[in-house]
Amino acid sequence: MIYKNRPLYSKYDPERAVLSLIQKNTPVDPASLILVFSPCLCYGLKELFAAADKEADIIALEADEKLCAVARDRLTVLDREGRVRLFSSRELAALDGLLRKLASTGRYRRVLRLDFSAGTAFAPDFYGQVAVAAQEIIASFWKNQITLLRMGRLFAKNIFQNLPRLSVSAQLYQLGRSVSCPILVCGAGESLDTTEISGKGCFIIAVDAALPALLSRGIRPDAVVSLESQMVIQKAYIGAASAVAGSPPLLFADITSRPSVPRSFPNRTVFFASKYAEASYLDRLVGKGIVHDYIAPLGSVGLAAVSIALRLRKDEGVPVFVTGLDFSYSVGRTHASGVPHAIQRLSTSCRISPAENYGAAFVPASLPVPSKDGSQMISIKSMTGYAEDFRHTFAGVKNLLDIGQTGLDLGLPRAENESLLEAADKAAEECQASCGQEAPAPQAKDAATAFLAEEKTALLTIKDLLMHGDESQRRDKTLSLNEQLSALLAGREYLYLHFPDGYRVSTDTAFLKRVRAEVDFFLKQIGLAERG
C-alpha cells in the first residue's frame, strides 16, 4: 500500500514487521496498556488478540484522517467484538479522558506502543508525544496513590475537623477580583532576602513559612496561605499572634490544612478547596453548598499562593510580582533568613553542628541546577518538578512578573525590584482603600451540620452491617449484603483511599476488616467536629 509516495508495508511480506513486533512482546504483559499507532489495514490484529489478555484495553490512534477512515472500515470487519477503540487526531480530548479513566482502575503500570504501519512516519512527533503523555498519566496516578497512602487519611481527617469552621468562614470566591493594587507573593526561598519590600501600596501574600521571615523585618503581610496538613507547620505561627495583634492578616487555608491554624485566625480565615483525589464525597461537599468550587491541586504552597493572587486581582492590568519561589538553594542554606527551619538551625547550632546546612547540598537526591543569576544552586527532584509545574500552570499569564534574583527559572518575564516599589508607590492610596477589608460573611451555616449527621448515619450503618451481616437491623432487603455495602462505601472514599488498594471498592473480607477499623476512626472525627 502506497500513500503519499511512501510504502506503508513491505511489498514482499506486508505482515512480517507487525507480526515480528507482536511476537517480540508475546505474551503481552497484563499491566501494559496497549497503544496501536497507525493501524491502517490492521494487519496483525488477530495475533494481537491472541497474545493479549481478553480483558486488555487496546487503543488505536491514527493522525491522518484518510488512513483513519481506512482503519475504521477494516476494524468493522476484523473486530466484531469491539475490543479496539480507535481515535483520530481530532479526538484527543476523548482519548485523554479514556486514558485517565483506565489509569484510575489501577490495572496498568506502563504503556506498550505498537506501530502497525509506516503511517507513523507522517507524524512521528505527534505519536511520540501521545505515548509519553499516556505513560505520564499512568505514572501520575501511581504517584498520587503514593501520596494518598501517606497523607490521604490525614487529608480526610482535617476536612472533617475544618467543616464546622468552614461553615462560618468566608470562601475564596467571595473575594475574587477585589484587589486593585499590585500584589506581591512571597515564598520562603533565599531570593526573599534580597528583595526590598514596601509595606505600603501593595497587597502582600506570604506562604506560611515566609510569615516569620517577613515579621522579623517589620513587614506585616496582608494574607498568609496555609496548605500544609501536618503539625510541622505550627512552627511558622509561633509568635505571630503577638506580632500582628490587632491587625492580623487574612488566612487563606485549604480545607485539608491543619485545623489548629484557622483557629488561630478567628474571623480572618478564608477557605479554599483543592481536590486531592477524585472522590464523590468531595463532590457532595460542592453539591450541598459547603464548598463553592475546587482549584487544581497544585501540591506546592507557592503555586497555590500565586493561583490565589491571580483570583484576587481585579483584572489583568493589576501586576502580580513573585519572589522567594526559588525551588532551589545554595550550599549551606535552604531557605531565607527568619523562616522556621533557619531559626531552628540557628537556635540549636554549636561548634560541631553549625547553623549552615551543608548536608542538604550533599544528600543522594540533590542535583546541581542553574540559577537565574547564572550561578549554580542545588535542588531535588520534587522541587524541580514544582518549578516545571509552575512554568506549565502559569505560562502566558499576563502581568505575572518574577523579581526574585536567584532560583530556578519560572518561565515568567523578569522585572527589577524597583518595578515593585514604583508600582506600590503609585497605588498606595488606592491599595489602602481596596485591601483593608474584613473577610466577607459566610453564606451557609447549617449545611456542614447536616453533612456530618448524614455521614454519621451512614458510618453507623456500615458498622452494623459489618458486625451483624444479614441480621443487621439496618439491612436493606431489596439489595444483597455486598450490594448495600458497596453502595455505602462508594460514596465514602475517605474510609479507604489511603489503602494500598484503595483506588477501588472491594467486598473482600480483608478489605472490609480494614474499613471496619476506619469507621470507628471517622466516627470519632465526626464527634469531635460536632462538639466544635
Side-chain angles (χ1 to χ4, degrees):
M1 180 178 179
I2 305 295
Y3 183 67
K4 294 183 178 179
N5 298 319
R6 186 184 185 100
L8 300 183
Y9 299 98
S10 167
K11 65 179 180 179
Y12 301 106
D13 188 354
E15 297 186 6
R16 182 181 61 184
V18 176
L19 295 180
S20 176
L21 183 62
I22 294 173
Q23 185 178 13
K24 180 181 178 182
N25 291 281
T26 300
V28 175
D29 182 0
S32 294
L33 177 62
I34 303 171
L35 296 183
V36 174
F37 287 160
S38 192
C40 199
L41 297 177
C42 298
Y43 291 145
L45 195 61
K46 181 177 67 174
E47 289 75 12
L48 177 60
F49 287 162
D53 187 270
K54 288 186 177 181
E55 302 299 322
D57 292 288
I58 304 173
I59 298 175
L61 177 66
E62 179 57 72
D64 188 281
E65 291 297 324
K66 290 183 179 180
L67 292 181
C68 188
V70 172
R72 289 191 192 281
D73 290 341
R74 293 289 291 172
L75 285 173
T76 302
V77 177
L78 300 176
D79 184 22
R80 299 286 186 180
E81 298 179 1
R83 294 183 62 182
V84 179
R85 281 169 279 194
L86 175 63
F87 293 85
S88 70
S89 58
R90 297 180 180 179
E91 301 172 303
L92 292 183
L95 174 59
D96 179 78
L98 177 61
L99 289 173
R100 294 183 187 280
K101 181 179 178 181
L102 294 176
S104 68
T105 65
R107 177 175 180 175
Y108 298 110
R109 301 290 194 278
R110 61 196 66 85
V111 165
L112 173 61
R113 171 179 173 172
L114 299 175
D115 291 0
F116 263 36
S117 77
T120 56
F122 295 123
D125 292 341
F126 171 77
Y127 289 110
Q129 289 169 3
V130 170
V132 170
Q135 184 62 59
E136 288 180 348
I137 288 172
I138 293 174
S140 177
F141 169 79
W142 288 110
K143 288 177 182 176
N144 290 340
Q145 285 304 118
I146 293 173
T147 300
L148 289 174
L149 185 65
R150 296 177 55 235
M151 303 293 294
R153 192 192 208 208
L154 181 60
F155 289 160
K157 173 188 173 184
N158 287 350
I159 288 176
F160 278 98
Q161 292 295 304
N162 281 326
L163 276 177
R165 192 164 297 278
L166 180 62
S167 66
V168 295
S169 299
Q171 293 195 39
L172 176 59
Y173 78 95
Q174 294 174 273
L175 281 175
R177 306 289 176 254
S178 64
V179 178
S180 59
C181 59
I183 301 175
L184 173 64
V185 177
C186 296
E190 294 174 50
S191 60
L192 182 64
D193 286 342
T194 58
T195 303
E196 185 179 352
I197 300 173
S198 172
K200 295 181 179 180
C202 65
F203 189 81
I204 302 173
I205 302 176
V207 305
D208 40 26
L211 175 60
L214 292 177
L215 293 177
S216 67
R217 295 163 61 177
I219 299 170
R220 186 194 69 84
D222 299 277
V224 181
V225 178
S226 178
L227 197 66
E228 179 61 63
S229 304
Q230 303 179 84
M231 181 180 245
V232 65
I233 200 57
Q234 291 288 149
K235 297 176 181 178
Y237 300 95
I238 295 175
S242 59
V244 296
S247 184
L250 291 174
L251 174 72
F252 289 95
D254 192 288
I255 60 172
T256 64
S257 61
R258 186 165 174 79
S260 59
V261 176
R263 294 191 196 110
S264 302
F265 289 78
N267 303 318
R268 298 292 289 171
T269 298
V270 179
F271 277 103
F272 64 96
S274 55
K275 198 170 187 181
Y276 71 90
E278 287 299 324
S280 60
Y281 95 93
L282 294 176
D283 294 332
R284 283 191 287 123
L285 292 176
V286 174
K288 292 182 178 296
I290 301 171
V291 169
H292 182 264
D293 61 356
Y294 290 103
I295 67 172
L298 299 173
S300 163
V301 66
L303 273 70
V306 174
S307 178
I308 290 170
L310 295 176
R311 286 198 175 203
L312 291 179
R313 69 175 177 177
K314 186 175 182 179
D315 51 48
E316 291 181 343
V318 176
V320 176
F321 299 90
V322 302
T323 186
L325 301 181
D326 298 352
F327 303 110
S328 58
Y329 49 91
S330 58
V331 177
R333 301 188 64 188
T334 55
H335 296 83
S337 302
V339 305
H341 180 76
I343 293 173
Q344 181 180 11
R345 293 280 306 189
L346 183 62
S347 63
T348 59
S349 63
C350 62
R351 186 172 58 182
I352 60 175
S353 180
E356 294 82 4
N357 189 359
Y358 292 107
F362 301 102
V363 295
S366 65
L367 63 155
V369 293
S371 173
K372 287 175 285 194
D373 63 355
S375 64
Q376 181 174 287
M377 300 188 77
I378 307 296
S379 189
I380 56 177
K381 191 172 182 179
S382 61
M383 290 200 294
T384 58
Y386 287 142
E388 180 62 33
D389 289 344
F390 190 106
R391 290 189 288 268
H392 175 75
T393 302
F394 302 113
V397 174
K398 294 182 179 179
N399 238 349
L400 179 59
L401 307 168
D402 184 6
I403 59 172
Q405 300 303 306
T406 58
L408 293 180
D409 179 28
L410 299 178
L412 302 180
R414 301 286 301 282
E416 297 298 326
N417 203 144
E418 288 73 16
S419 301
L420 167 66
L421 300 177
E422 290 173 3
D425 288 341
K426 185 177 179 181
E429 292 184 4
E430 181 181 1
C431 182
Q432 188 175 6
S434 66
C435 300
Q437 55 188 309
E438 293 291 324
Q443 293 184 338
K445 296 184 179 181
D446 299 328
T449 301
F451 178 83
L452 290 171
E454 180 182 328
E455 294 307 292
K456 184 176 182 178
T457 299
L459 293 182
L460 288 173
T461 300
I462 294 171
K463 180 177 180 178
D464 202 65
L465 291 173
L466 292 177
M467 291 177 64
H468 302 292
D470 285 321
E471 303 304 318
S472 170
Q473 295 181 353
R474 297 173 181 260
R475 271 289 281 127
D476 181 354
K477 298 297 184 179
T478 64
L479 303 171
S480 70
L481 179 59
N482 282 346
E483 288 174 342
Q484 186 178 1
L485 281 170
S486 295
L488 289 166
L489 293 176
R492 285 152 191 94
E493 298 90 344
Y494 54 83
L495 291 171
Y496 52 83
L497 271 178
H498 52 285
F499 293 174
D501 54 349
Y503 44 83
R504 59 173 176 261
V505 176
S506 173
T507 54
D508 291 342
T509 301
F511 188 91
L512 294 178
K513 284 182 176 179
R514 287 175 284 158
V515 167
R516 172 66 184 85
E518 296 303 309
V519 167
D520 285 341
F521 175 81
F522 281 100
L523 280 172
K524 179 180 178 181
Q525 303 313 311
I526 291 174
L528 292 172
E530 288 176 334
R531 292 192 294 272

